[in-house]
Amino acid sequence: MATLELYSKGASVWIPDPDAVWVSAQLLEDYSPGHKHLLLQLSDGNEVHYPVGSSSDLPPLGNPDILEGENDLTTLTFLHEPAVLHNLRVRFLDYSSIYTYCGIVLVAINPYDQLPIYGEEVIDAYCGQDMADMEPHIFSVAEEAYRTMIRSEKKQSIIISGESGSGKTVSAKFTMRYFAVVGGTAQQTRVEERVLASNPIMESIGNAKTIRNDNSSRFGKYIEIGFGRKGDIIGANMRTYLLEKSRVVFQVKGLIFKMCHPFLSLLTLSKMFKICSCCYCSNLFNSMIIYVAFWCILVSQ
C-alpha cells in the first residue's frame, strides 16, 4: 500500500468502471485519514465522490506520464492491475507492439491478425543480442534460451501459457522457427511445421469449441527439441497430456462451450446417413459412433 502522503491534490488514481474496467481520475483535494470520500475529476471533466471507508479502500495510484508505454512492467513505479492493463493498452494501440516484458517473462497480446514481424530479417536482428538491448519479442526469449544452452551445455525450457485462443500454438511455432533459422536448418527441415503436424489424431476428437476459440485443445504439449554440437536441430519429440478430462465428456451448463464437438458433429450427421439405407453406410456410421464414444469414456476415467 502506498503512503497516504501520495494521495494529495493533483495525484492520479485508478477507479473501477463497469464498462472500461478501470478509468483514470485526478484528486481535486488532499486526502486525510478519516475522510469518507475522495473528490475526483475524470478525464471527461466530470467530478465524482469516491467512497473511502478506510485507508485500505483507497484506489490504486497512477504512474507518472513519463512511464507510459514502458517495455518492461517492472520499471513502473506502481505495479498493479490497472497499471499493467493501461501500459499494455498503450503499447498495443500507440506503439503497435504486442509484446511487453515483465522481468524475464514476456507478455503477449494476440492481435488476431498476421503481423510482418517474424521474417528472417527480424530473426537476424535478434540473433546474438541480449534481451535488454532489444524490444520485447518472442525471438528475444528464444535467443536467450538458445545462447544459454550453447554456452552452458545445459537443457533450457520455455513455458508458453495462456487462456484459450491466446496464441500459444502460434508462439510455439515462431519459437521453433527461430531455433531452425539460427541453427541453419530452416530450409532443410521446417521443424516447426513437422513438430506441429505430429499431433495425435485423437486430439482432433478431444478438442473443444470455446467462446474465443473454435478448436481449443484439451491437451497440454511438451515439445522437446534436440540440438547437435554445432547448435543445429537434429530431432524433436512431442508429448501430449490430456487436461481437464471432465470437459471432454461434460458440457458446462449456461456457457457457450462444445466439448468433444467432432463427436457432436457425428451425431448431427446421423440424419444424412439415415437418408441412405444401404448396409455399408449404416455400418460405417455405427462404427464411427462406437469408436468415438469408447474414446470419450476412456479419457474420462
Side-chain angles (χ1 to χ4, degrees), residues 45-58:
N46 293 328
E47 295 184 4
V48 297
H49 292 273
Y50 185 82
V52 179
S54 63
S55 58
S56 61
D57 298 326
L58 289 171

Side-chain angles (χ1 to χ4, degrees), residues 12 22 34 73 89 101 111 129 145 151-152 170 193 205 220-221 230 252 259 264 267 292:
S12 175
W22 295 95
L73 297 174
R89 182 179 184 274
Y101 287 133
Q129 302 296 324
R151 183 171 57 253
S152 63
V170 176
E193 295 179 2
I205 299 174
K221 301 181 183 69
K230 297 181 180 180
V252 181
M259 311 310 167
L264 300 177
L267 294 177
V292 180

Side-chain angles (χ1 to χ4, degrees), residues 201-219:
I201 187 63
M202 284 192 300
E203 178 156 338
S204 64
I205 299 174
N207 282 3
K209 180 177 181 179
T210 64
I211 297 175
R212 299 185 182 180
N213 192 352
D214 287 342
N215 199 38
S216 176
S217 176
R218 295 276 72 86
F219 291 81

Side-chain angles (χ1 to χ4, degrees), residues 12-14 20-24 61-70 73 76 78-95 100 109:
S12 175
V13 295
W14 292 97
V21 184
W22 295 95
V23 293
S24 179
L61 285 165
N63 286 291
D65 293 340
I66 194 174
L67 295 180
E68 278 201 350
E70 282 291 309
L73 297 174
L76 299 179
F78 305 109
L79 189 59
H80 41 60
E81 179 183 322
V84 170
L85 294 177
H86 177 68
N87 197 74
L88 294 177
R89 182 179 184 274
V90 170
R91 287 186 56 77
F92 184 76
L93 296 179
D94 298 344
Y95 294 86
T100 305
I109 298 177

Side-chain angles (χ1 to χ4, degrees), residues 208 210 218 244-252 257 259-260:
T210 64
R218 295 276 72 86
E244 303 172 287
K245 296 181 180 180
S246 63
R247 302 184 89 186
V248 178
V249 294
F250 175 79
Q251 185 161 358
V252 181
F257 282 82
M259 311 310 167
C260 200

Side-chain angles (χ1 to χ4, degrees), residues 141-158 179 182-183 224-234:
V141 176
E143 168 66 19
E144 184 72 15
Y146 182 78
R147 294 304 168 188
T148 302
M149 178 196 67
I150 297 297
R151 183 171 57 253
S152 63
E153 296 186 350
K154 294 182 178 179
K155 296 181 179 180
Q156 303 295 311
S157 297
I158 298 177
F179 293 148
V182 298
E224 189 173 30
I225 302 176
F227 293 86
R229 289 289 182 180
K230 297 181 180 180
D232 56 323
I233 295 177
I234 58 176

